[in-house]
Amino acid sequence: MIEKMEYDDFLMLVRGAEAEIVEKKSRFIATVRPVASEEEAAVFIDEMKKKYYDARHNCSAFVIGSKAEFTRSSDDGEPSGTAGRPMLEVLLGSGIRNIAAVVTRYFGGTLLGTGGLVRAYSGAVKEALALCETARQRFGVKLRIKTDYNAVGKIQYLLANQKIDVIDSVYAADVELTAIIPIEEYERLCNEITEATGARAGLEEIERAYYMV
């Protein structure tokens, strides 16, 4: 049996965003984008550096994996720990995974000090995140259920009782229903379907993966 704790829900970025703040005449432009891998994150960071080639700094951070398995941050010339790490902490705290952020700084002529830089870089990312669109991901099993017409109502009732939507249905000589079952409900629901149909329903596991809910 797969333990639920191994597959915690997480947020993913559906739509990125850009936001800008100004601190003592320095402009901080935060760009946030979804990325599926470290390679995608690197391409995005390079793209921002080319776009804002005339900026003093293009600091970055990203989080990859449902459990934040891969994280990186860069101060890009700012004092150590004043830019990339604060940006990364904001991303981790948001609960969003597979996400990258670049904060571009155009220097305004006034030094902000360590605390000022931390607030500015983290604040810019927070502003951009507030404009992003997210969706929750849950680990589940895509299940195909094959049954006769007499048992369809019982199966539909069991699914509806757990608020599980049928994502596909085929009505021919028999009936095929496809649904995505949360992993923590999977074994119990399969047993309930088997019992309710007198073991006449065929259950075929198609795949296990994260799905948008």
Side-chain angles (χ1 to χ4, degrees), residues 162-201:
Q162 296 299 319
K163 296 182 172 58
I164 296 171
D165 294 327
V166 174
I167 62 174
D168 189 30
S169 57
V170 177
Y171 290 83
D174 290 317
V175 181
E176 290 186 6
L177 305 175
T178 303
I180 297 174
I181 317 299
I183 191 65
E184 65 270 18
E185 303 290 340
Y186 179 60
E187 290 189 11
R188 181 180 59 77
L189 187 59
C190 285
N191 290 335
E192 288 183 356
I193 292 174
T194 298
E195 182 178 348
T197 62
R200 296 194 306 275

PDB file of all heavy atoms in Angstrom, residues 162-201:
ATOM      1  N   GLN A 162     -18.178   9.934  -3.149  1.00  0.00           N
ATOM      2  CA  GLN A 162     -16.826  10.381  -2.814  1.00  0.00           C
ATOM      3  C   GLN A 162     -16.432  11.643  -3.596  1.00  0.00           C
ATOM      4  O   GLN A 162     -15.269  12.039  -3.583  1.00  0.00           O
ATOM      5  CB  GLN A 162     -15.821   9.265  -3.118  1.00  0.00           C
ATOM      6  CG  GLN A 162     -16.018   8.018  -2.277  1.00  0.00           C
ATOM      7  CD  GLN A 162     -15.856   8.286  -0.798  1.00  0.00           C
ATOM      8  OE1 GLN A 162     -14.968   9.033  -0.385  1.00  0.00           O
ATOM      9  NE2 GLN A 162     -16.723   7.702   0.012  1.00  0.00           N
ATOM     10  N   LYS A 163     -17.420  12.224  -4.280  1.00  0.00           N
ATOM     11  CA  LYS A 163     -17.198  13.445  -5.077  1.00  0.00           C
ATOM     12  C   LYS A 163     -16.127  13.213  -6.150  1.00  0.00           C
ATOM     13  O   LYS A 163     -15.281  14.070  -6.405  1.00  0.00           O
ATOM     14  CB  LYS A 163     -16.826  14.627  -4.184  1.00  0.00           C
ATOM     15  CG  LYS A 163     -17.933  15.038  -3.223  1.00  0.00           C
ATOM     16  CD  LYS A 163     -17.531  16.248  -2.390  1.00  0.00           C
ATOM     17  CE  LYS A 163     -18.704  16.767  -1.565  1.00  0.00           C
ATOM     18  NZ  LYS A 163     -19.278  15.785  -0.647  1.00  0.00           N
ATOM     19  N   ILE A 164     -16.159  12.044  -6.756  1.00  0.00           N
ATOM     20  CA  ILE A 164     -15.226  11.679  -7.826  1.00  0.00           C
ATOM     21  C   ILE A 164     -15.952  11.775  -9.157  1.00  0.00           C
ATOM     22  O   ILE A 164     -16.987  11.125  -9.361  1.00  0.00           O
ATOM     23  CB  ILE A 164     -14.671  10.261  -7.616  1.00  0.00           C
ATOM     24  CG1 ILE A 164     -13.849  10.206  -6.328  1.00  0.00           C
ATOM     25  CG2 ILE A 164     -13.850   9.818  -8.822  1.00  0.00           C
ATOM     26  CD1 ILE A 164     -13.444   8.811  -5.920  1.00  0.00           C
ATOM     27  N   ASP A 165     -15.439  12.593 -10.053  1.00  0.00           N
ATOM     28  CA  ASP A 165     -16.067  12.793 -11.353  1.00  0.00           C
ATOM     29  C   ASP A 165     -15.630  11.713 -12.341  1.00  0.00           C
ATOM     30  O   ASP A 165     -14.468  11.291 -12.348  1.00  0.00           O
ATOM     31  CB  ASP A 165     -15.703  14.160 -11.937  1.00  0.00           C
ATOM     32  CG  ASP A 165     -16.274  15.305 -11.106  1.00  0.00           C
ATOM     33  OD1 ASP A 165     -17.373  15.132 -10.531  1.00  0.00           O
ATOM     34  OD2 ASP A 165     -15.612  16.362 -11.030  1.00  0.00           O
ATOM     35  N   VAL A 166     -16.576  11.308 -13.189  1.00  0.00           N
ATOM     36  CA  VAL A 166     -16.258  10.429 -14.313  1.00  0.00           C
ATOM     37  C   VAL A 166     -15.721  11.311 -15.440  1.00  0.00           C
ATOM     38  O   VAL A 166     -16.389  12.234 -15.890  1.00  0.00           O
ATOM     39  CB  VAL A 166     -17.507   9.657 -14.784  1.00  0.00           C
ATOM     40  CG1 VAL A 166     -17.195   8.859 -16.047  1.00  0.00           C
ATOM     41  CG2 VAL A 166     -18.012   8.741 -13.676  1.00  0.00           C
ATOM     42  N   ILE A 167     -14.496  11.056 -15.899  1.00  0.00           N
ATOM     43  CA  ILE A 167     -13.885  11.910 -16.921  1.00  0.00           C
ATOM     44  C   ILE A 167     -14.116  11.380 -18.333  1.00  0.00           C
ATOM     45  O   ILE A 167     -13.894  12.095 -19.313  1.00  0.00           O
ATOM     46  CB  ILE A 167     -12.369  12.084 -16.669  1.00  0.00           C
ATOM     47  CG1 ILE A 167     -11.643  10.734 -16.736  1.00  0.00           C
ATOM     48  CG2 ILE A 167     -12.124  12.765 -15.332  1.00  0.00           C
ATOM     49  CD1 ILE A 167     -10.135  10.857 -16.648  1.00  0.00           C
ATOM     50  N   ASP A 168     -14.556  10.111 -18.430  1.00  0.00           N
ATOM     51  CA  ASP A 168     -14.867   9.566 -19.752  1.00  0.00           C
ATOM     52  C   ASP A 168     -15.822   8.395 -19.566  1.00  0.00           C
ATOM     53  O   ASP A 168     -15.753   7.669 -18.563  1.00  0.00           O
ATOM     54  CB  ASP A 168     -13.597   9.102 -20.467  1.00  0.00           C
ATOM     55  CG  ASP A 168     -13.867   8.736 -21.927  1.00  0.00           C
ATOM     56  OD1 ASP A 168     -14.779   9.338 -22.525  1.00  0.00           O
ATOM     57  OD2 ASP A 168     -13.159   7.855 -22.455  1.00  0.00           O
ATOM     58  N   SER A 169     -16.723   8.201 -20.520  1.00  0.00           N
ATOM     59  CA  SER A 169     -17.658   7.081 -20.459  1.00  0.00           C
ATOM     60  C   SER A 169     -17.956   6.586 -21.861  1.00  0.00           C
ATOM     61  O   SER A 169     -18.073   7.381 -22.800  1.00  0.00           O
ATOM     62  CB  SER A 169     -18.951   7.488 -19.747  1.00  0.00           C
ATOM     63  OG  SER A 169     -19.550   8.593 -20.404  1.00  0.00           O
ATOM     64  N   VAL A 170     -18.055   5.282 -21.996  1.00  0.00           N
ATOM     65  CA  VAL A 170     -18.364   4.649 -23.276  1.00  0.00           C
ATOM     66  C   VAL A 170     -19.495   3.652 -23.038  1.00  0.00           C
ATOM     67  O   VAL A 170     -19.367   2.735 -22.217  1.00  0.00           O
ATOM     68  CB  VAL A 170     -17.142   3.917 -23.865  1.00  0.00           C
ATOM     69  CG1 VAL A 170     -17.526   3.214 -25.171  1.00  0.00           C
ATOM     70  CG2 VAL A 170     -15.992   4.882 -24.091  1.00  0.00           C
ATOM     71  N   TYR A 171     -20.598   3.849 -23.760  1.00  0.00           N
ATOM     72  CA  TYR A 171     -21.752   2.960 -23.635  1.00  0.00           C
ATOM     73  C   TYR A 171     -21.868   2.138 -24.919  1.00  0.00           C
ATOM     74  O   TYR A 171     -22.186   2.661 -25.981  1.00  0.00           O
ATOM     75  CB  TYR A 171     -23.027   3.764 -23.398  1.00  0.00           C
ATOM     76  CG  TYR A 171     -23.078   4.411 -22.036  1.00  0.00           C
ATOM     77  CD1 TYR A 171     -22.445   5.629 -21.792  1.00  0.00           C
ATOM     78  CD2 TYR A 171     -23.740   3.793 -20.979  1.00  0.00           C
ATOM     79  CE1 TYR A 171     -22.476   6.212 -20.538  1.00  0.00           C
ATOM     80  CE2 TYR A 171     -23.782   4.364 -19.715  1.00  0.00           C
ATOM     81  CZ  TYR A 171     -23.142   5.575 -19.511  1.00  0.00           C
ATOM     82  OH  TYR A 171     -23.176   6.147 -18.255  1.00  0.00           O
ATOM     83  N   ALA A 172     -21.575   0.855 -24.805  1.00  0.00           N
ATOM     84  CA  ALA A 172     -21.682  -0.045 -25.950  1.00  0.00           C
ATOM     85  C   ALA A 172     -22.384  -1.313 -25.467  1.00  0.00           C
ATOM     86  O   ALA A 172     -23.404  -1.215 -24.791  1.00  0.00           O
ATOM     87  CB  ALA A 172     -20.298  -0.346 -26.513  1.00  0.00           C
ATOM     88  N   ALA A 173     -21.844  -2.477 -25.807  1.00  0.00           N
ATOM     89  CA  ALA A 173     -22.437  -3.714 -25.285  1.00  0.00           C
ATOM     90  C   ALA A 173     -22.352  -3.718 -23.761  1.00  0.00           C
ATOM     91  O   ALA A 173     -23.277  -4.152 -23.064  1.00  0.00           O
ATOM     92  CB  ALA A 173     -21.713  -4.923 -25.863  1.00  0.00           C
ATOM     93  N   ASP A 174     -21.239  -3.231 -23.251  1.00  0.00           N
ATOM     94  CA  ASP A 174     -21.063  -2.993 -21.822  1.00  0.00           C
ATOM     95  C   ASP A 174     -20.764  -1.509 -21.629  1.00  0.00           C
ATOM     96  O   ASP A 174     -20.789  -0.728 -22.581  1.00  0.00           O
ATOM     97  CB  ASP A 174     -19.922  -3.847 -21.259  1.00  0.00           C
ATOM     98  CG  ASP A 174     -20.286  -5.324 -21.215  1.00  0.00           C
ATOM     99  OD1 ASP A 174     -21.415  -5.636 -20.820  1.00  0.00           O
ATOM    100  OD2 ASP A 174     -19.426  -6.155 -21.578  1.00  0.00           O
ATOM    101  N   VAL A 175     -20.471  -1.147 -20.431  1.00  0.00           N
ATOM    102  CA  VAL A 175     -20.187   0.263 -20.116  1.00  0.00           C
ATOM    103  C   VAL A 175     -18.765   0.376 -19.581  1.00  0.00           C
ATOM    104  O   VAL A 175     -18.335  -0.445 -18.765  1.00  0.00           O
ATOM    105  CB  VAL A 175     -21.174   0.815 -19.066  1.00  0.00           C
ATOM    106  CG1 VAL A 175     -20.874   2.288 -18.776  1.00  0.00           C
ATOM    107  CG2 VAL A 175     -22.607   0.654 -19.539  1.00  0.00           C
ATOM    108  N   GLU A 176     -18.031   1.394 -20.062  1.00  0.00           N
ATOM    109  CA  GLU A 176     -16.710   1.700 -19.537  1.00  0.00           C
ATOM    110  C   GLU A 176     -16.726   3.107 -18.951  1.00  0.00           C
ATOM    111  O   GLU A 176     -17.077   4.056 -19.638  1.00  0.00           O
ATOM    112  CB  GLU A 176     -15.643   1.626 -20.637  1.00  0.00           C
ATOM    113  CG  GLU A 176     -15.360   0.231 -21.136  1.00  0.00           C
ATOM    114  CD  GLU A 176     -14.195   0.204 -22.109  1.00  0.00           C
ATOM    115  OE1 GLU A 176     -13.544   1.263 -22.295  1.00  0.00           O
ATOM    116  OE2 GLU A 176     -13.932  -0.865 -22.683  1.00  0.00           O
ATOM    117  N   LEU A 177     -16.361   3.214 -17.694  1.00  0.00           N
ATOM    118  CA  LEU A 177     -16.250   4.506 -17.022  1.00  0.00           C
ATOM    119  C   LEU A 177     -14.794   4.729 -16.636  1.00  0.00           C
ATOM    120  O   LEU A 177     -14.137   3.812 -16.144  1.00  0.00           O
ATOM    121  CB  LEU A 177     -17.125   4.546 -15.765  1.00  0.00           C
ATOM    122  CG  LEU A 177     -18.605   4.224 -15.938  1.00  0.00           C
ATOM    123  CD1 LEU A 177     -19.291   4.201 -14.578  1.00  0.00           C
ATOM    124  CD2 LEU A 177     -19.284   5.236 -16.848  1.00  0.00           C
ATOM    125  N   THR A 178     -14.299   5.941 -16.859  1.00  0.00           N
ATOM    126  CA  THR A 178     -12.941   6.279 -16.444  1.00  0.00           C
ATOM    127  C   THR A 178     -12.997   7.403 -15.427  1.00  0.00           C
ATOM    128  O   THR A 178     -13.669   8.418 -15.649  1.00  0.00           O
ATOM    129  CB  THR A 178     -12.078   6.716 -17.648  1.00  0.00           C
ATOM    130  OG1 THR A 178     -12.081   5.669 -18.624  1.00  0.00           O
ATOM    131  CG2 THR A 178     -10.646   6.997 -17.214  1.00  0.00           C
ATOM    132  N   ALA A 179     -12.307   7.210 -14.327  1.00  0.00           N
ATOM    133  CA  ALA A 179     -12.299   8.212 -13.255  1.00  0.00           C
ATOM    134  C   ALA A 179     -10.914   8.280 -12.642  1.00  0.00           C
ATOM    135  O   ALA A 179     -10.111   7.339 -12.762  1.00  0.00           O
ATOM    136  CB  ALA A 179     -13.327   7.861 -12.186  1.00  0.00           C
ATOM    137  N   ILE A 180     -10.615   9.407 -12.011  1.00  0.00           N
ATOM    138  CA  ILE A 180      -9.350   9.569 -11.287  1.00  0.00           C
ATOM    139  C   ILE A 180      -9.645   9.496  -9.792  1.00  0.00           C
ATOM    140  O   ILE A 180     -10.412  10.305  -9.266  1.00  0.00           O
ATOM    141  CB  ILE A 180      -8.665  10.893 -11.643  1.00  0.00           C
ATOM    142  CG1 ILE A 180      -8.298  10.897 -13.131  1.00  0.00           C
ATOM    143  CG2 ILE A 180      -7.417  11.099 -10.787  1.00  0.00           C
ATOM    144  CD1 ILE A 180      -7.748  12.212 -13.626  1.00  0.00           C
ATOM    145  N   ILE A 181      -9.033   8.523  -9.138  1.00  0.00           N
ATOM    146  CA  ILE A 181      -9.301   8.257  -7.731  1.00  0.00           C
ATOM    147  C   ILE A 181      -8.134   8.757  -6.880  1.00  0.00           C
ATOM    148  O   ILE A 181      -6.982   8.380  -7.140  1.00  0.00           O
ATOM    149  CB  ILE A 181      -9.472   6.745  -7.476  1.00  0.00           C
ATOM    150  CG1 ILE A 181     -10.329   6.088  -8.571  1.00  0.00           C
ATOM    151  CG2 ILE A 181     -10.047   6.508  -6.085  1.00  0.00           C
ATOM    152  CD1 ILE A 181     -11.718   6.623  -8.693  1.00  0.00           C
ATOM    153  N   PRO A 182      -8.379   9.596  -5.880  1.00  0.00           N
ATOM    154  CA  PRO A 182      -7.288   9.983  -4.975  1.00  0.00           C
ATOM    155  C   PRO A 182      -6.627   8.741  -4.381  1.00  0.00           C
ATOM    156  O   PRO A 182      -7.311   7.773  -4.040  1.00  0.00           O
ATOM    157  CB  PRO A 182      -8.008  10.809  -3.893  1.00  0.00           C
ATOM    158  CG  PRO A 182      -9.239  11.327  -4.576  1.00  0.00           C
ATOM    159  CD  PRO A 182      -9.662  10.234  -5.520  1.00  0.00           C
ATOM    160  N   ILE A 183      -5.314   8.757  -4.285  1.00  0.00           N
ATOM    161  CA  ILE A 183      -4.581   7.570  -3.876  1.00  0.00           C
ATOM    162  C   ILE A 183      -5.033   7.029  -2.526  1.00  0.00           C
ATOM    163  O   ILE A 183      -5.100   5.814  -2.312  1.00  0.00           O
ATOM    164  CB  ILE A 183      -3.049   7.860  -3.849  1.00  0.00           C
ATOM    165  CG1 ILE A 183      -2.257   6.558  -3.681  1.00  0.00           C
ATOM    166  CG2 ILE A 183      -2.693   8.875  -2.770  1.00  0.00           C
ATOM    167  CD1 ILE A 183      -2.389   5.593  -4.827  1.00  0.00           C
ATOM    168  N   GLU A 184      -5.428   7.917  -1.619  1.00  0.00           N
ATOM    169  CA  GLU A 184      -5.828   7.467  -0.293  1.00  0.00           C
ATOM    170  C   GLU A 184      -7.194   6.774  -0.303  1.00  0.00           C
ATOM    171  O   GLU A 184      -7.564   6.091   0.661  1.00  0.00           O
ATOM    172  CB  GLU A 184      -5.828   8.631   0.699  1.00  0.00           C
ATOM    173  CG  GLU A 184      -6.849   9.720   0.407  1.00  0.00           C
ATOM    174  CD  GLU A 184      -6.295  10.799  -0.503  1.00  0.00           C
ATOM    175  OE1 GLU A 184      -5.271  10.548  -1.175  1.00  0.00           O
ATOM    176  OE2 GLU A 184      -6.895  11.890  -0.527  1.00  0.00           O
ATOM    177  N   GLU A 185      -7.967   6.965  -1.386  1.00  0.00           N
ATOM    178  CA  GLU A 185      -9.291   6.353  -1.485  1.00  0.00           C
ATOM    179  C   GLU A 185      -9.292   5.128  -2.396  1.00  0.00           C
ATOM    180  O   GLU A 185     -10.296   4.412  -2.487  1.00  0.00           O
ATOM    181  CB  GLU A 185     -10.294   7.377  -2.052  1.00  0.00           C
ATOM    182  CG  GLU A 185     -10.410   8.672  -1.269  1.00  0.00           C
ATOM    183  CD  GLU A 185     -11.077   8.474   0.079  1.00  0.00           C
ATOM    184  OE1 GLU A 185     -11.776   7.448   0.250  1.00  0.00           O
ATOM    185  OE2 GLU A 185     -10.909   9.330   0.963  1.00  0.00           O
ATOM    186  N   TYR A 186      -8.189   4.884  -3.075  1.00  0.00           N
ATOM    187  CA  TYR A 186      -8.184   3.928  -4.187  1.00  0.00           C
ATOM    188  C   TYR A 186      -8.535   2.504  -3.769  1.00  0.00           C
ATOM    189  O   TYR A 186      -9.487   1.896  -4.294  1.00  0.00           O
ATOM    190  CB  TYR A 186      -6.817   3.958  -4.876  1.00  0.00           C
ATOM    191  CG  TYR A 186      -6.694   2.991  -6.022  1.00  0.00           C
ATOM    192  CD1 TYR A 186      -7.539   3.074  -7.118  1.00  0.00           C
ATOM    193  CD2 TYR A 186      -5.725   1.985  -5.993  1.00  0.00           C
ATOM    194  CE1 TYR A 186      -7.430   2.181  -8.171  1.00  0.00           C
ATOM    195  CE2 TYR A 186      -5.615   1.095  -7.049  1.00  0.00           C
ATOM    196  CZ  TYR A 186      -6.460   1.194  -8.131  1.00  0.00           C
ATOM    197  OH  TYR A 186      -6.350   0.314  -9.166  1.00  0.00           O
ATOM    198  N   GLU A 187      -7.794   1.921  -2.838  1.00  0.00           N
ATOM    199  CA  GLU A 187      -8.031   0.531  -2.472  1.00  0.00           C
ATOM    200  C   GLU A 187      -9.424   0.331  -1.884  1.00  0.00           C
ATOM    201  O   GLU A 187     -10.112  -0.642  -2.216  1.00  0.00           O
ATOM    202  CB  GLU A 187      -6.961   0.059  -1.488  1.00  0.00           C
ATOM    203  CG  GLU A 187      -5.583  -0.091  -2.113  1.00  0.00           C
ATOM    204  CD  GLU A 187      -4.592  -0.755  -1.180  1.00  0.00           C
ATOM    205  OE1 GLU A 187      -5.024  -1.278  -0.127  1.00  0.00           O
ATOM    206  OE2 GLU A 187      -3.397  -0.758  -1.493  1.00  0.00           O
ATOM    207  N   ARG A 188      -9.834   1.255  -1.026  1.00  0.00           N
ATOM    208  CA  ARG A 188     -11.152   1.111  -0.404  1.00  0.00           C
ATOM    209  C   ARG A 188     -12.259   1.185  -1.455  1.00  0.00           C
ATOM    210  O   ARG A 188     -13.208   0.386  -1.430  1.00  0.00           O
ATOM    211  CB  ARG A 188     -11.356   2.208   0.643  1.00  0.00           C
ATOM    212  CG  ARG A 188     -12.706   2.119   1.364  1.00  0.00           C
ATOM    213  CD  ARG A 188     -12.862   3.233   2.381  1.00  0.00           C
ATOM    214  NE  ARG A 188     -12.771   4.537   1.749  1.00  0.00           N
ATOM    215  CZ  ARG A 188     -13.764   5.086   1.051  1.00  0.00           C
ATOM    216  NH1 ARG A 188     -14.914   4.432   0.891  1.00  0.00           N
ATOM    217  NH2 ARG A 188     -13.619   6.271   0.510  1.00  0.00           N
ATOM    218  N   LEU A 189     -12.129   2.123  -2.396  1.00  0.00           N
ATOM    219  CA  LEU A 189     -13.161   2.277  -3.412  1.00  0.00           C
ATOM    220  C   LEU A 189     -13.213   1.059  -4.339  1.00  0.00           C
ATOM    221  O   LEU A 189     -14.303   0.613  -4.728  1.00  0.00           O
ATOM    222  CB  LEU A 189     -12.925   3.551  -4.218  1.00  0.00           C
ATOM    223  CG  LEU A 189     -14.034   3.929  -5.203  1.00  0.00           C
ATOM    224  CD1 LEU A 189     -15.356   4.130  -4.486  1.00  0.00           C
ATOM    225  CD2 LEU A 189     -13.661   5.189  -5.969  1.00  0.00           C
ATOM    226  N   CYS A 190     -12.050   0.530  -4.698  1.00  0.00           N
ATOM    227  CA  CYS A 190     -12.033  -0.677  -5.523  1.00  0.00           C
ATOM    228  C   CYS A 190     -12.753  -1.821  -4.816  1.00  0.00           C
ATOM    229  O   CYS A 190     -13.528  -2.569  -5.440  1.00  0.00           O
ATOM    230  CB  CYS A 190     -10.593  -1.082  -5.847  1.00  0.00           C
ATOM    231  SG  CYS A 190      -9.793  -0.047  -7.089  1.00  0.00           S
ATOM    232  N   ASN A 191     -12.516  -1.958  -3.526  1.00  0.00           N
ATOM    233  CA  ASN A 191     -13.192  -3.012  -2.760  1.00  0.00           C
ATOM    234  C   ASN A 191     -14.701  -2.787  -2.725  1.00  0.00           C
ATOM    235  O   ASN A 191     -15.485  -3.743  -2.841  1.00  0.00           O
ATOM    236  CB  ASN A 191     -12.642  -3.071  -1.333  1.00  0.00           C
ATOM    237  CG  ASN A 191     -11.218  -3.592  -1.277  1.00  0.00           C
ATOM    238  OD1 ASN A 191     -10.777  -4.320  -2.163  1.00  0.00           O
ATOM    239  ND2 ASN A 191     -10.483  -3.210  -0.245  1.00  0.00           N
ATOM    240  N   GLU A 192     -15.115  -1.537  -2.581  1.00  0.00           N
ATOM    241  CA  GLU A 192     -16.541  -1.227  -2.542  1.00  0.00           C
ATOM    242  C   GLU A 192     -17.210  -1.523  -3.885  1.00  0.00           C
ATOM    243  O   GLU A 192     -18.333  -2.035  -3.934  1.00  0.00           O
ATOM    244  CB  GLU A 192     -16.752   0.242  -2.167  1.00  0.00           C
ATOM    245  CG  GLU A 192     -16.442   0.559  -0.714  1.00  0.00           C
ATOM    246  CD  GLU A 192     -16.726   2.009  -0.364  1.00  0.00           C
ATOM    247  OE1 GLU A 192     -17.093   2.787  -1.271  1.00  0.00           O
ATOM    248  OE2 GLU A 192     -16.597   2.366   0.822  1.00  0.00           O
ATOM    249  N   ILE A 193     -16.525  -1.194  -4.982  1.00  0.00           N
ATOM    250  CA  ILE A 193     -17.081  -1.480  -6.309  1.00  0.00           C
ATOM    251  C   ILE A 193     -17.187  -2.982  -6.526  1.00  0.00           C
ATOM    252  O   ILE A 193     -18.202  -3.488  -7.034  1.00  0.00           O
ATOM    253  CB  ILE A 193     -16.202  -0.829  -7.406  1.00  0.00           C
ATOM    254  CG1 ILE A 193     -16.315   0.693  -7.338  1.00  0.00           C
ATOM    255  CG2 ILE A 193     -16.620  -1.334  -8.792  1.00  0.00           C
ATOM    256  CD1 ILE A 193     -15.372   1.421  -8.289  1.00  0.00           C
ATOM    257  N   THR A 194     -16.156  -3.717  -6.131  1.00  0.00           N
ATOM    258  CA  THR A 194     -16.171  -5.171  -6.273  1.00  0.00           C
ATOM    259  C   THR A 194     -17.318  -5.781  -5.481  1.00  0.00           C
ATOM    260  O   THR A 194     -18.048  -6.657  -5.973  1.00  0.00           O
ATOM    261  CB  THR A 194     -14.830  -5.765  -5.801  1.00  0.00           C
ATOM    262  OG1 THR A 194     -13.774  -5.253  -6.624  1.00  0.00           O
ATOM    263  CG2 THR A 194     -14.854  -7.280  -5.890  1.00  0.00           C
ATOM    264  N   GLU A 195     -17.504  -5.302  -4.266  1.00  0.00           N
ATOM    265  CA  GLU A 195     -18.572  -5.827  -3.415  1.00  0.00           C
ATOM    266  C   GLU A 195     -19.947  -5.453  -3.956  1.00  0.00           C
ATOM    267  O   GLU A 195     -20.861  -6.287  -4.000  1.00  0.00           O
ATOM    268  CB  GLU A 195     -18.404  -5.289  -1.989  1.00  0.00           C
ATOM    269  CG  GLU A 195     -19.449  -5.812  -1.009  1.00  0.00           C
ATOM    270  CD  GLU A 195     -19.239  -5.294   0.406  1.00  0.00           C
ATOM    271  OE1 GLU A 195     -18.154  -4.724   0.670  1.00  0.00           O
ATOM    272  OE2 GLU A 195     -20.146  -5.474   1.234  1.00  0.00           O
ATOM    273  N   ALA A 196     -20.111  -4.198  -4.375  1.00  0.00           N
ATOM    274  CA  ALA A 196     -21.415  -3.722  -4.836  1.00  0.00           C
ATOM    275  C   ALA A 196     -21.872  -4.405  -6.118  1.00  0.00           C
ATOM    276  O   ALA A 196     -23.071  -4.526  -6.378  1.00  0.00           O
ATOM    277  CB  ALA A 196     -21.375  -2.209  -5.046  1.00  0.00           C
ATOM    278  N   THR A 197     -20.906  -4.851  -6.939  1.00  0.00           N
ATOM    279  CA  THR A 197     -21.249  -5.466  -8.223  1.00  0.00           C
ATOM    280  C   THR A 197     -21.109  -6.980  -8.208  1.00  0.00           C
ATOM    281  O   THR A 197     -21.209  -7.620  -9.258  1.00  0.00           O
ATOM    282  CB  THR A 197     -20.358  -4.893  -9.346  1.00  0.00           C
ATOM    283  OG1 THR A 197     -18.991  -5.214  -9.071  1.00  0.00           O
ATOM    284  CG2 THR A 197     -20.522  -3.396  -9.459  1.00  0.00           C
ATOM    285  N   GLY A 198     -20.871  -7.536  -7.041  1.00  0.00           N
ATOM    286  CA  GLY A 198     -20.696  -8.980  -6.967  1.00  0.00           C
ATOM    287  C   GLY A 198     -19.486  -9.450  -7.760  1.00  0.00           C
ATOM    288  O   GLY A 198     -19.495 -10.532  -8.340  1.00  0.00           O
ATOM    289  N   ALA A 199     -18.455  -8.593  -7.792  1.00  0.00           N
ATOM    290  CA  ALA A 199     -17.190  -8.893  -8.492  1.00  0.00           C
ATOM    291  C   ALA A 199     -17.377  -8.992 -10.005  1.00  0.00           C
ATOM    292  O   ALA A 199     -16.526  -9.568 -10.702  1.00  0.00           O
ATOM    293  CB  ALA A 199     -16.553 -10.162  -7.938  1.00  0.00           C
ATOM    294  N   ARG A 200     -18.453  -8.433 -10.536  1.00  0.00           N
ATOM    295  CA  ARG A 200     -18.679  -8.477 -11.983  1.00  0.00           C
ATOM    296  C   ARG A 200     -17.979  -7.339 -12.717  1.00  0.00           C
ATOM    297  O   ARG A 200     -17.769  -7.411 -13.923  1.00  0.00           O
ATOM    298  CB  ARG A 200     -20.174  -8.422 -12.302  1.00  0.00           C
ATOM    299  CG  ARG A 200     -20.966  -9.619 -11.799  1.00  0.00           C
ATOM    300  CD  ARG A 200     -22.348  -9.683 -12.419  1.00  0.00           C
ATOM    301  NE  ARG A 200     -23.084  -8.434 -12.244  1.00  0.00           N
ATOM    302  CZ  ARG A 200     -23.799  -8.126 -11.168  1.00  0.00           C
ATOM    303  NH1 ARG A 200     -23.848  -8.970 -10.144  1.00  0.00           N
ATOM    304  NH2 ARG A 200     -24.455  -6.990 -11.088  1.00  0.00           N
ATOM    305  N   ALA A 201     -17.635  -6.270 -12.003  1.00  0.00           N
ATOM    306  CA  ALA A 201     -16.980  -5.124 -12.645  1.00  0.00           C
ATOM    307  C   ALA A 201     -15.498  -5.405 -12.850  1.00  0.00           C
ATOM    308  O   ALA A 201     -14.826  -5.933 -11.969  1.00  0.00           O
ATOM    309  CB  ALA A 201     -17.172  -3.869 -11.800  1.00  0.00           C
TER     310      ALA A 201
END
